[in-house]
Amino acid sequence: MSVTPLRALSIEQLRQRSSTKWRTYAPDILPLFVAETDFPLAEPITDALRRAVELGDTGYTPPDPGIRDAYAAFAQRRFGWTVDPARVRTTCDVMMGVVELLRRVTAPGDRVIVTPPVYPPFYDCIPEAGAVVERVPLSPTGTGWELDLPGIEAALAGGARAVLLCNPHNPTGTTHSRESLAALADLANRFGAAVISDEIHAPLVQPGVTFTPFLAASETAAEVGYAVTSASKAYNLAGLKCALMITAGDEPARVVRELPDEVEWRTGLFGALAGVAAFSPQSDAWLDGLLAALDQNRRLLGGLLAEHVPGARYRIPDAGFLAWVDLGDLGWGDNPAARILREAQVALHFGPHFGDEGKGHVRINIGCSPQVLREAIERIGALDAP
């Protein structure tokens, strides 16, 4: 059955928003940098928030706002993954959950593995937890990227105590295979390390692409792993503040259960209410429409780059609304997004912020209308035009 793609809001409507994407730069800049999308909210979310405002329901978040059960049902429906709601706790956002978990599974000065190029806040949250970043870059395969398992093994053998995983991966859009995740779990188990998996982009895996939650990769993964996720990326709810910390094994469940109550008190009530609505079956059609729109744009971007920026190298992502593009052959320096912002009036995310592997790269937010995406790439393509 064909799905009708969502339509993005108009630029005139979007410029009325007060969020980071629309208030960081001047109106002549096209913003395709931060991970916000340009679509209207799913109607069940709007209804839930409208009702809360009308009721003055703006107090503290209750012990069980319903999001644990809502997410468990969503995970079963969308991923075929059985989540025990009793092994889910909430907090403010994914990075806060990651920091709190790292504080429990590492000691000050311990090393934590990341797999660059990777989401820039990873480089900040590890030191915030008192640990030290250890970089084991993804391995390019020619058609995509994969975990460098020998490199991770060497880092664990050298004393690293945890792996901070991004699954699906930001910025490459890679969904790691069940086999590689199970192998990672075996390595962590062998060396007594933990794996914390940021799975915030999981609802945005394209149809036909298999997503394996880390905790579902194997029995061992359940025993060494923690997952942290949220409705905030897929449903554009970042300002509402609600994330989920999920476990499957007994020891990880004990660690999360013993987190201070204040970690859960940081959950925003509007975030929880919106998350329940987002993860409900009533929002599935909206999500399917979003995925259809993103599928159009991820393919459109390939054609636009070939036409207007033929030196660019781009692999269509498996998931998400973020495109990782290599502009290194254009001679625009280590941080081509700086020139693009200055001369083309298009704001992209700076590649070097994702690690050394990001030099010469940009990250493009394709969660917009095809018209905005086309204009942005045409502007970029005109930079060196005769």
Side-chain angles (χ1 to χ4, degrees), residues 278-291:
F279 291 135
S280 73
Q282 289 72 33
S283 291
D284 280 357
W286 182 94
L287 180 57
D288 291 338
L290 173 63
L291 290 170

Side-chain angles (χ1 to χ4, degrees), residues 308-311 327 329-333 339-340 343-344 377-386:
H308 299 285
V309 195
L327 302 180
D329 289 346
L330 301 182
W332 293 355
R339 182 188 179 195
I340 291 169
E343 299 181 24
I377 303 306
E378 287 177 351
R379 289 189 189 186
I380 294 168
L383 285 180
D384 283 342

Side-chain angles (χ1 to χ4, degrees), residues 5-249:
L6 286 185
R7 294 187 63 180
L9 298 173
S10 69
I11 287 289
E12 292 72 26
Q13 291 172 300
L14 292 165
R15 292 204 182 279
Q16 296 177 50
R17 288 182 172 180
S18 59
S19 62
T20 290
K21 184 174 184 180
W22 296 99
R23 294 298 175 92
T24 299
Y25 295 107
D28 60 337
I29 304 292
L30 282 181
L32 280 73
F33 68 115
V34 72
E36 299 179 24
T37 55
D38 295 352
F39 302 95
L41 292 180
E43 188 172 341
I45 296 174
T46 301
D47 290 345
L49 295 175
R50 180 185 296 114
R51 176 171 171 76
V53 171
E54 289 172 349
L55 290 172
D57 190 8
T58 54
Y60 292 111
T61 306
D64 182 11
I67 195 166
R68 293 178 293 186
D69 289 311
Y71 183 77
F74 176 88
Q76 188 69 59
R77 201 167 64 246
R78 304 292 295 199
F79 311 139
W81 177 31
T82 301
V83 172
D84 181 354
R87 293 192 168 186
V88 178
R89 289 192 75 182
T90 64
T91 191
C92 180
D93 57 37
V94 165
M95 285 299 99
M96 184 174 288
V98 167
V99 169
E100 293 297 339
L101 292 172
L102 284 173
R103 285 174 174 157
R104 270 70 190 176
V105 302
T106 64
D110 280 349
R111 285 176 284 123
V112 176
I113 296 166
V114 298
T115 58
V118 77
Y119 184 50
F122 278 22
Y123 298 107
D124 295 326
C125 72
I126 291 171
E128 183 181 347
V132 177
V133 173
E134 176 146 352
R135 302 167 65 260
V136 181
L138 291 181
S139 295
T141 65
T143 58
W145 293 266
E146 64 185 12
L147 296 173
D148 177 4
L149 293 169
I152 292 173
E153 180 177 15
L156 291 171
R161 302 302 301 153
V163 179
L164 180 50
L165 183 69
C166 202
N167 180 43
H169 188 269
N170 174 5
T172 67
T174 302
T175 53
H176 300 300
S177 71
R178 180 181 297 274
E179 292 75 18
S180 66
L181 295 174
L184 174 63
D186 289 341
L187 290 173
N189 185 57
R190 189 199 316 170
F191 292 103
V195 177
I196 300 172
S197 186
D198 172 356
E199 300 188 352
I200 197 169
H201 294 275
L204 296 173
V205 172
Q206 282 290 334
V209 176
T210 299
F211 168 67
T212 301
F214 178 75
L215 300 182
S218 68
E219 292 183 3
T220 302
E223 295 302 322
V224 301
Y226 304 79
V228 191
T229 193
S230 173
S232 63
K233 283 292 183 288
Y235 300 90
N236 205 42
L237 305 174
L240 300 186
K241 299 302 180 184
C242 177
L244 305 171
M245 300 172 290
I246 305 165
T247 58

Side-chain angles (χ1 to χ4, degrees), residues 302-329:
L304 291 172
L305 290 172
E307 180 181 358
H308 299 285
V309 195
R313 287 181 287 179
Y314 160 67
R315 297 184 181 116
I316 292 178
D318 297 328
F321 53 86
L322 305 170
W324 189 236
V325 181
D326 183 354
L327 302 180
D329 289 346

